[in-house]
Amino acid sequence: MKPAAFDYHRPETVQAVVELLESLDDAELLAGNQSLGIVMANRLATPDHLIDLSGVDSLSGITVTDAAVEIGAMTTHRTIERSDRLAEVLPMLPEAAEQIAGPAVRNKGTIGGSIGEADPAGNYPTALAALGGTLHLRSAEGERTVPVEDYFIAYMFTDLRENEIIEAVSIPREAYPVDRTGMAFVELKRAAQTWPTVSAAGAIRVDDPGESEPTIETARIAMANAADIPLRVPDAEAVLEGEPLSAAALDEVADIVTESVTPEGEMHADREYKAEVAGEYAKRSIRTAHERAIDAADD
Ligand SMILES: Cc1cc2nc3c(=O)[nH]c(=O)nc-3n(C[C@H](O)[C@H](O)[C@H](O)COP(=O)(O)OP(=O)(O)OC[C@H]3O[C@@H](n4cnc5c(N)ncnc54)[C@H](O)[C@@H]3O)c2cc1C
């Protein structure tokens, strides 16, 4: 099937984008077209207008300051995957990017498109929920910021208003000093280029990586494809914080995550299996993040 007819617009500034969103009825934003194209080809979406964001240069790029990392909505998965600066300061994001689909999707797909799509299996929504990211949204009325954790409301339903664009995402760096922090994004997949059965994002900050058993100061755990939204699991984080890592704590993390998730069953993975695997992958993400936090002191 082919998409239904639509009018095509290619503005060159964010201001022009939001003015189009304000003035047009039934308009859809187009980013890398890796998801929207499939939906439109199947006529599950038949917008009257497509607003292509590829002409808006200001929406692409990664800015790292001492305080925060900001990533423009049109930054591709490939750019994030290959960013040396991100690998240094927030390595969870390149690790999440490199596991998305295959190179063709990663070359064109964007972080804004992934957040706009709002699939609970998506890599960035979960990584950003773990890292405490904030979304910068703009409409003709002005700008507002929304924490990632408040943005995802229900299955593929978000706080984004019809006349708004996601302009950028930012992540504060204060909680993640590079010499004491480890991060990991781990996935269970049936095949390399498919969506994950379940994924886990884990981050650990320790007090002194030179110690044989450093205390965990901060732990963050979020799960993908394990609920109808990206799911952070604060109860599991609380088990880890204030103590050195132990096998018993890791087992408790796995149990809490398994109890907390509410996954949908799939053809190859029923709910019980996904819940069990979610616990195991949360544990793996934390174990790896902890190893990396200790190694961070040597880098
Ligand atoms: C085979 C395959 C496997 C995949 N596997 C994974 C995976 O494992 N993990 C994963 O995370 N993703 C996966 N994806 C999805 C991939 O990441 C897509 O690139 C992404 O979800 C959509 O990005 P896009 O830039 O192509 O957006 P588009 O397809 O252009 O748009 C998607 C939606 O977002 C909206 N949108 C786009 N930009 C904005 C914006 N700036 N503000 C507001 N709304 C916006 C659009 O209106 C549309 O509704 C997979 C895709 C494919 C085809």
Side-chain angles (χ1 to χ4, degrees), residues 28-29 31-36 77 101 109-110 113 116-117 122-123 166 195-196:
E28 187 87 19
L29 297 172
N33 200 25
Q34 296 307 295
S35 297
L36 187 58
H77 307 328
T110 65
E117 182 180 24
N123 295 25
I166 303 162
W195 290 83

Side-chain angles (χ1 to χ4, degrees), residues 208-226:
D208 182 354
E211 289 286 316
S212 60
E213 293 191 333
T215 298
I216 295 173
E217 289 182 338
T218 299
R220 291 288 177 266
I221 303 171
M223 308 300 302
N225 213 17

